[in-house]
Amino acid sequence: MENAVTTKPVNKARASIDLLNDAVGKEISTSLQYMYFHTHFEDQRYEYLSKIMRRISIVEMRHIEEFSERILFLEGDVRMMPGFPVRQITEPVAMLRLAVELEQETIAAYNEAARIAAEHKDAATQRMFQDTIVEEEEHLDLFRSELQHLTDYGDEYLLMQSMAGSKHAAERLAHPGGKKE
């Protein structure tokens, strides 16, 4: 009997799998960062900012799922590893500045990833990155607007949010069976 040496076939989609795994890491970290911000905004009773962060965190989780499904389709394995640690920032302006920075970095990285996927003739992965860029740009626009509101109106803007949060909390107490979001 001959010793058969088995070699794993080279995956022609390796470049796309690597790009997608990098994106999974970014999305995991970003989702965790935004969930951290959500909890702090909620604790400070900044209801609107809290809801924004929570909803966008969930969108980032959906991106993780979509990128992971594509990796598996390409016969790769998903590395569920955060790309960076959560930064413990609790000051609203600093939180929004970081959110803007994260979105800008993600958009730049996904534009490059789309270009590389196109070079490797992977139109589906290229399109996935392009579609995700559109959503990330919407997040960027929202974070920029909120940061501008804070810059323009400062404590008054946060006071309005805090009052809305207190009103919402009072309504929940008045209707204990009501659904909290």
Side-chain angles (χ1 to χ4, degrees), residues 33-170:
Q33 186 70 63
Y34 294 166
M35 192 55 66
Y36 177 85
F37 289 164
H38 153 68
T39 59
H40 281 279
F41 280 136
E42 184 175 62
D43 183 60
Q44 296 170 35
R45 298 263 195 249
Y46 302 145
E47 183 179 2
Y48 181 67
L49 291 171
S50 174
K51 284 183 179 182
I52 288 171
M53 288 297 174
R54 180 179 178 277
R55 288 181 182 145
I56 293 178
S57 177
I58 292 168
V59 171
E60 305 298 2
M61 288 180 215
R62 186 177 43 78
H63 293 162
I64 296 165
E65 181 180 33
E66 291 168 353
F67 290 145
S68 296
E69 289 171 355
R70 180 73 182 152
I71 291 167
L72 294 175
F73 175 80
L74 295 172
E75 298 181 335
D77 194 19
V78 181
R79 293 188 315 259
M80 287 286 180
M81 297 178 53
F84 58 87
V86 171
R87 296 176 202 153
Q88 296 181 323
I89 301 169
T90 59
E91 196 279 314
V93 171
M95 286 192 264
L96 288 170
R97 282 190 181 133
L98 179 58
V100 166
E101 180 183 317
L102 291 174
E103 295 300 325
Q104 289 171 328
E105 290 171 2
T106 299
I107 291 164
Y110 290 178
N111 270 306
E112 180 65 9
R115 184 191 65 74
I116 293 169
E119 283 179 5
H120 286 87
K121 298 179 178 23
D122 183 352
T125 300
Q126 176 191 16
R127 180 67 177 185
M128 180 175 275
F129 279 115
Q130 291 171 332
D131 291 345
T132 305
I133 289 166
V134 172
E135 290 184 353
E136 302 295 354
E137 286 178 344
E138 291 170 359
H139 303 165
L140 176 60
D141 186 51
L142 182 56
F143 291 145
R144 281 179 176 164
S145 293
E146 290 305 312
L147 184 58
Q148 190 62 51
H149 293 325
L150 278 173
T151 301
D152 291 347
Y153 307 113
D155 290 339
E156 289 83 13
Y157 185 67
L158 293 175
L159 177 64
M160 289 187 309
Q161 294 218 8
S162 182
M163 289 171 48
S166 294
K167 178 182 174 194
H168 186 70

Side-chain angles (χ1 to χ4, degrees), residues 25-38:
K26 282 182 194 346
E27 297 292 334
I28 289 170
S29 293
T30 302
S31 179
L32 292 172
Q33 186 70 63
Y34 294 166
M35 192 55 66
Y36 177 85
F37 289 164
H38 153 68

Side-chain angles (χ1 to χ4, degrees), residues 4-10:
V5 176
T6 58
T7 58
K8 193 173 183 179
V10 175

Side-chain angles (χ1 to χ4, degrees), residues 4-20:
V5 176
T6 58
T7 58
K8 193 173 183 179
V10 175
N11 188 326
K12 294 181 182 185
R14 174 59 34 210
S16 291
I17 292 167
D18 290 344
L19 292 168
L20 290 161

